[in-house]
Amino acid sequence: MPHFYAECTENIREAANLPELFAKVNQMLADTGIFPLGGIRSRAIWLDTWQMADGKQDYAFVHMTLKIGSGRSLEERQKVGERLFALIKTHFADLVAQRYLGLSFTMEELDPVLNYKSNNVHHLFKTKE
């Protein structure tokens, strides 16, 4: 953990430049020092069917979710959330200036018990330390 999801309307696939956003997000999350590098993942979910507002414009939206494991303080989570949303708004600033675009972001803390995972990538980064 953490896992970053971007649900995006198909009409901004090229302009959204998600590979660049994901590189920035992953680096920012790693730089916090509170998330293991081997668990950081970002992904896109492209929506080919949606309705937004009255449907009369070429609206678009990106809803982003950061899912994290439990155990971080509210202060840490809030600091990460504010920093991440600022990064997101900066990334999409030009697109917001050009079209109708809704941006939203939420952070979800996963249940500390009902959260199962297996990941051998962590070992790669532990051996480098």
Side-chain angles (χ1 to χ4, degrees):
M1 289 297 186
H3 292 198
F4 182 76
Y5 299 78
E7 297 174 61
C8 304
T9 56
E10 182 67 37
N11 59 344
I12 59 168
R13 184 181 281 265
E14 296 301 318
N17 195 2
L18 291 187
E20 180 181 302
L21 174 64
F22 292 165
K24 293 174 192 174
V25 166
N26 285 22
Q27 186 63 56
M28 192 227 82
L29 293 172
D31 290 348
T32 67
I34 63 172
F35 300 112
L37 182 58
I40 299 171
R41 298 178 196 152
S42 293
R43 68 199 76 162
I45 301 166
W46 291 104
L47 306 171
D48 64 1
T49 307
W50 73 93
Q51 172 79 29
M52 185 173 175
D54 61 7
K56 294 181 180 179
Q57 301 290 329
D58 186 27
Y59 302 117
F61 68 84
V62 183
H63 173 69
M64 291 144 288
T65 304
L66 181 66
K67 294 186 179 188
I68 64 170
S70 65
R72 284 137 190 119
S73 70
L74 176 59
E75 182 180 83
E76 287 174 314
R77 289 179 285 152
Q78 190 169 13
K79 184 184 277 188
V80 167
E82 290 170 0
R83 209 170 141 201
L84 187 52
F85 195 53
L87 183 154
I88 290 164
K89 290 191 300 184
T90 298
H91 177 81
F92 286 106
D94 289 343
L95 199 52
V96 167
Q98 298 167 15
R99 63 171 308 125
Y100 295 112
L101 178 65
L103 297 175
S104 56
F105 168 69
T106 187
M107 186 184 306
E108 298 176 6
E109 185 177 39
L110 300 176
D111 187 277
V113 177
L114 302 174
N115 180 11
Y116 308 92
K117 54 189 162 243
S118 176
N119 180 351
N120 66 0
V121 177
H122 290 293
H123 179 72
L124 172 68
F125 293 101
K126 286 182 182 177
T127 59
K128 291 183 178 183
E129 293 174 356

